[in-house]
Amino acid sequence: QVQPVESGGGSVPVGGSLRLSCTVPRYVSIVDCMGWYRQAPGKGREPVAGIYESARSANVAGSVKDRFTISRDNGNTVSLQMDNLKPEDTAIYYCAAGGAGDFCYGGHQGQGTQVTVLS
């Protein structure tokens, strides 16, 4: 079963950095598309970034493109480096595994990890 598990959330001041990590444990095949979504309080879930293992191609949403970087560390582990964090980045961040398209649409999502940017 493809069930991603996120880690690395927390609280940081404005301008700080966080690195989120996600892995799909106990799954022997390589999951091609892995990515990140987020949901801020009172808002819908939105795509943040996606990356393909086979093509080594990555996509990052325009709103965070100059501050967030997605990478595949090894196998079924993906990271999201978030720099120069802003209050509007406060959200629950969900890892997506599987799916298709720029942001792994339709992939399995994890339970999420909270990111809070303190102003």
Side-chain angles (χ1 to χ4, degrees), residues 47-110:
V48 176
I51 187 168
Y52 279 84
E53 173 69 13
S54 59
R56 289 288 171 174
S57 61
N59 296 283
V60 181
S63 59
V64 299
K65 196 166 190 174
D66 57 343
R67 301 183 293 116
F68 290 11
T69 304
I70 187 170
S71 61
R72 291 291 285 261
D73 300 323
N74 59 73
N76 290 332
T77 299
V78 64
S79 294
L80 184 69
Q81 177 67 38
M82 305 185 294
D83 298 316
N84 191 21
L85 284 161
K86 303 177 180 181
E88 54 262 41
D89 296 318
T90 294
I92 299 174
Y93 284 70
Y94 299 88
C95 178
D102 289 349
F103 300 105
C104 313
Y105 298 110
H108 297 271
Q109 297 196 3

Side-chain angles (χ1 to χ4, degrees), residues 31 33 35 37 40 43 47 60 89:
V31 179
C33 191
Y37 285 70
K43 296 187 177 181
V60 181
D89 296 318

